[in-house]
Amino acid sequence: MEFVNPEGLRLDGRRPMEMRQLRAEIGAVARADGSAVFEMGNTKVIAAVYGPREVQNKSQQSNDQALVRCEYTMANFSTGDRKRKPKGDRRSTEISLVIRQTMEACILTHLMPRSQIDIYVQVLQADGGTRSACINAATLALADAGIPMRDLVTSCSSGYLNSTPLLDLNYLEDSAGGPDVTVGFLPKLDRVTLLQMDAKLPVDIVENVMQLAIEGCKAIATYIREVLLENTKQLEYRRGL
Amino acid sequence: MPEEGEKEEMVTPGEVLGKAADLKAGKGAYVAPYRSSEIQYVFSSLTGLRHTLTPPSDSPDQRPTVEVIGHKARGAVPEAGSVVIARVTKVMAKTASADIMCVGTKSVREKFTGVIRQQDVRATEIDKVDMHLAFRPGDIVRAVVLSLGDARAYYLSTAKNELGVVSANSTAGETMVPISWTEMQCPLTGQIEQRKVAKVGS
């Protein structure tokens, strides 16, 4: 099947190095300490952060750093066929672990000992790249909650179909069977914190595809920073400063 | 109202605030080497306005402190040395338990438990203190936090003139009037009850 036609356009009309449209909203869940909705094209994800708060399970309490917990779920209506098991299945458990490790490396946990930070991410609409959208939404929600972080973690996926590196795969391109590389990146510190790939990729192409995803991450970081600054300005105006 | 000439910059996590050699990292900032170089820089860890504080003139380190003030209202947390207002919940032979409600002037979001031990009630004759003649359940006390205490409660102390019971209800249910540093009187019945009273006002 042709994923990149002779004119260089993909199935949804994008160019190979073009990302889908981004949209972010902060403060969607008023009761949570921090929350955000993040959209990458048709993929829509909501994240809510509670913390730092007292540890519920005293046996897991750590004396020198905060405990970070993460739960990834997909809403029943998020995919074409109604999902029967929204959480607890292997894929959700794996993605929960991945998001937790990525965010834990970025949060300054030593500043909040004996406390707990809960990150809940739910996919409302899935169209490929849910993992990346979840990490971006979690970053926004953590920044909204005022939890100290080293940098904004951003994530983007890339692939390699019809001998072309493609940025930000949607569901059709993802299920084509080609490689799907997900990168988690700290833009200001210039560090990769997450790198996952499924399927196989020749060694000489890996570098290119990963670099493309990193460029996508940098673009997302610029957008996230703008959204955060705009949101903070609005709050300052409302407080009369 | 923003002051003219004092442009306060809005920053996001990860942004560079300056070199560690020129600035000290305050709240909302941290020090780390920049990318792969050896030079230490100060980075922001929160989203908010960046403030620079001038150092006191007598300190050996004359670097200004840079801090980032976030917009989220954080509930207050008791720290050693802070004055708190607490409500007494349980009075036992050698200790009294209290729920900390305010730290300084800010109220707390989450409940904190404090304990006042027999030797911390007052400064003189500390082993002759009768807890039931110092506090009763329901009293509002002003205390100072001695330390973070054990896993269950903060350690509080009322061993100063201005610390102790600030407001208490008599057995009749009326708010009592302090008479001396050990007694309070009910205005309705005239009954005098013993408490460790705080000296309020000058």
Side-chain angles (χ1 to χ4, degrees):
Chain A
M1 192 183 153
E2 205 181 57
F3 292 98
V4 186
N5 72 10
E7 275 111 64
L9 295 176
R10 288 148 80 173
L11 292 171
D12 49 7
R14 284 186 285 154
R15 297 249 156 234
M17 307 232 186
E18 203 183 314
M19 212 161 44
R20 291 177 290 182
Q21 192 184 49
L22 300 172
R23 209 187 77 90
E25 189 192 307
I26 300 186
V29 181
R31 206 183 159 274
D33 290 322
S35 60
V37 174
F38 199 84
E39 286 179 61
M40 287 171 85
N42 285 334
T43 299
K44 187 166 172 174
V45 151
I46 186 165
V49 165
Y50 291 86
R53 54 182 180 180
E54 207 173 327
V55 182
Q56 270 143 10
N57 191 355
K58 288 275 158 67
S59 60
Q60 288 176 331
Q61 189 174 324
S62 171
N63 271 351
D64 52 354
Q65 59 182 27
L67 177 73
V68 178
R69 282 174 58 229
C70 178
E71 203 174 276
Y72 166 95
T73 53
M74 294 187 83
N76 289 53
F77 48 83
S78 60
T79 57
D81 305 313
R82 188 187 160 84
K83 275 187 93 67
R84 268 197 282 122
K85 256 188 114 186
K87 61 176 175 175
D89 63 318
R90 275 223 296 259
R91 184 176 170 273
S92 296
T93 318
E94 193 232 330
I95 299 183
S96 300
L97 182 70
V98 162
I99 299 178
R100 183 182 71 75
Q101 287 178 336
T102 311
M103 305 322 295
E104 195 171 22
C106 177
I107 299 173
L108 295 170
T109 48
H110 65 271
L111 292 176
M112 301 162 285
R114 299 195 195 173
S115 65
Q116 173 176 307
I117 297 170
D118 291 318
I119 308 170
Y120 298 101
V121 204
Q122 182 166 75
V123 178
L124 300 175
Q125 205 171 277
D127 186 25
T130 55
R131 201 174 304 225
S132 300
C134 286
I135 290 176
N136 295 330
T139 298
L140 265 175
L142 285 167
D144 184 37
I147 292 178
M149 294 193 285
R150 291 204 165 77
D151 197 353
L152 299 171
V153 192
T154 52
S155 174
C156 196
S157 63
S158 59
Y160 190 75
L161 291 168
N162 293 144
S163 315
T164 323
L166 302 175
L167 179 60
D168 197 12
L169 305 174
N170 61 20
Y171 179 69
L172 290 167
E173 292 164 343
D174 201 355
S175 38
D180 174 17
V181 177
T182 306
V183 169
F185 190 63
L186 298 177
K188 293 276 177 179
L189 299 178
D190 202 26
R191 287 192 131 87
V192 173
T193 56
L194 168 71
L195 181 60
Q196 276 191 306
M197 185 173 88
D198 54 11
K200 281 198 251 196
L201 200 55
V203 163
D204 45 346
I205 313 278
V206 166
E207 187 78 39
N208 276 359
V209 176
M210 196 177 92
Q211 254 332 102
L212 186 58
I214 289 178
E215 291 304 311
C217 290
K218 288 183 189 163
I220 295 177
T222 317
Y223 176 69
I224 285 183
R225 242 173 255 282
E226 269 170 34
V227 169
L228 276 175
L229 290 174
E230 184 58 44
N231 177 260
T232 309
K233 277 203 192 96
Q234 286 294 328
L235 289 169
E236 300 283 328
Y237 289 154
R238 277 185 227 157
R239 278 173 65 191
L241 288 173
Chain B
M1 290 275 280
E3 288 125 294
E4 291 295 286
E6 249 217 55
K7 279 269 163 171
E8 276 165 356
E9 201 195 335
M10 216 175 283
V11 292
T12 52
E15 277 188 42
V16 174
L17 300 173
K19 286 212 179 96
D22 307 327
L23 293 171
K24 253 199 308 216
K27 275 190 292 212
Y30 71 97
V31 176
Y34 184 70
R35 304 219 171 160
S36 44
S37 75
E38 293 290 316
I39 313 171
Q40 304 273 50
Y41 277 80
V42 179
F43 293 88
S44 156
S45 67
L46 295 176
T47 312
L49 286 174
R50 166 223 175 114
H51 294 266
T52 316
L53 304 168
T54 46
S57 46
D58 54 345
S59 72
D61 189 0
Q62 282 296 309
R63 291 178 298 167
T65 307
V66 64
E67 51 177 46
V68 182
I69 310 292
H71 64 268
K72 270 281 146 88
R74 255 291 116 70
V77 174
E79 265 155 55
S82 50
V83 176
V84 299
I85 311 281
R87 178 188 288 122
V88 177
T89 48
K90 235 184 342 188
V91 180
M92 294 171 291
K94 296 228 185 257
T95 54
S97 291
D99 277 345
I100 298 174
M101 299 188 305
C102 306
V103 178
T105 50
K106 287 176 80 169
S107 76
V108 293
R109 277 231 229 131
E110 213 186 303
K111 194 184 66 138
F112 295 101
T113 320
V115 77
I116 309 170
R117 294 171 298 174
Q118 186 191 32
Q119 63 264 39
D120 300 323
V121 173
R122 58 178 193 227
T124 54
E125 289 189 327
I126 54 176
D127 30 331
K128 295 216 185 95
V129 173
D130 186 345
M131 294 305 288
H132 295 280
L133 298 180
F135 306 111
R136 284 290 162 93
D139 290 353
I140 309 289
V141 301
R142 176 181 291 127
V144 71
V145 178
L146 285 177
S147 72
L148 297 178
D150 55 29
R152 283 163 298 179
Y154 285 86
Y155 283 168
L156 303 174
S157 162
T158 53
K160 277 213 187 93
N161 286 351
E162 62 270 12
L163 303 174
V165 175
V166 180
S167 164
N169 282 1
S170 68
T171 42
E174 206 48 40
T175 309
M176 292 194 287
V177 173
I179 313 175
S180 72
W181 74 284
T182 49
E183 289 171 337
M184 291 182 108
Q185 189 173 30
C186 170
L188 205 61
T189 58
Q191 202 178 13
I192 293 180
E193 292 184 33
Q194 308 258 20
R195 297 286 200 280
K196 197 276 172 186
V197 188
K199 191 181 165 89
V200 180
S202 57

